[in-house]
Amino acid sequence: MSRTTVRAWCEKHRVEVRPDGWHGGRRLACLDGHDARSTYEQRVDDWLYRNGIEHYVEPAYPWDQRYRADFRIGSTFVEVWGVTNNDAYRQRKAMKIARCAAEGIQLIGIEPHQFHRGTWTRRLRQFANPA
């Protein structure tokens, strides 16, 4: 069954569906008061908050203050790679990955398909305190 079919069924039966991805630059409020640029980032921020993980939003990379990640947890940077089919974005993504590797900076990347599969929290769980 396609996502479109599921969404149509939910709308027909008045089941609220959380939107995906980018919303034209509109900022979305997170549970901890941060603003997110996409629902993907909002989901990550809210998950970190709910799990008591201290995090920073849009931190600058140490190798160039012009470039920012989506989050920083301790010394680990987190990017939500939410844009597809955009060459400039793809080039910037490749540059960030290569530069972090060259500088020895830990970078966690989360792809859109991981949200759809429900696997996006796997690498973030290492930061959660065991109960």
Side-chain angles (χ1 to χ4, degrees):
M1 184 177 300
S2 74
R3 291 178 60 210
T4 303
T5 302
V6 171
R7 185 174 296 276
W9 184 90
C10 289
E11 288 173 1
K12 177 181 175 184
H13 296 283
R14 296 184 181 149
V15 175
E16 186 176 341
V17 178
R18 186 174 197 156
D20 291 335
W22 176 253
H23 291 280
R26 178 174 54 99
R27 296 286 180 143
L28 304 167
C30 300
L31 294 174
D32 60 4
H34 291 146
D35 288 330
R37 292 177 293 158
S38 73
T39 56
Y40 294 142
E41 289 180 20
Q42 182 185 43
R43 288 171 69 184
V44 172
D45 192 282
D46 288 347
W47 187 89
L48 294 170
Y49 174 72
R50 283 188 189 113
N51 286 277
I53 301 169
E54 184 176 9
H55 58 285
Y56 301 91
V57 177
E58 297 185 10
Y61 281 103
W63 39 266
D64 191 327
Q65 299 295 301
R66 294 175 297 170
Y67 294 98
R68 299 191 171 276
D70 295 316
F71 302 95
R72 183 172 56 81
I73 304 167
S75 60
T76 300
F77 288 82
V78 179
E79 290 279 6
V80 179
W81 307 116
V83 177
T84 57
N85 300 321
N86 180 301
D87 287 334
Y89 186 89
R90 194 174 9 259
Q91 289 172 1
R92 192 168 52 254
K93 174 183 173 181
M95 180 275 296
K96 286 180 176 182
I97 292 169
R99 190 69 189 263
C100 285
E103 300 282 337
I105 295 169
Q106 184 176 5
L107 175 64
I108 294 174
I110 303 173
E111 302 285 346
H113 71 270
Q114 292 174 298
F115 287 97
H116 302 301
R117 293 181 185 158
T119 61
W120 63 273
T121 61
R122 285 184 180 166
R123 293 187 59 208
L124 297 175
R125 290 183 197 145
Q126 66 182 304
F127 301 103
N129 294 326

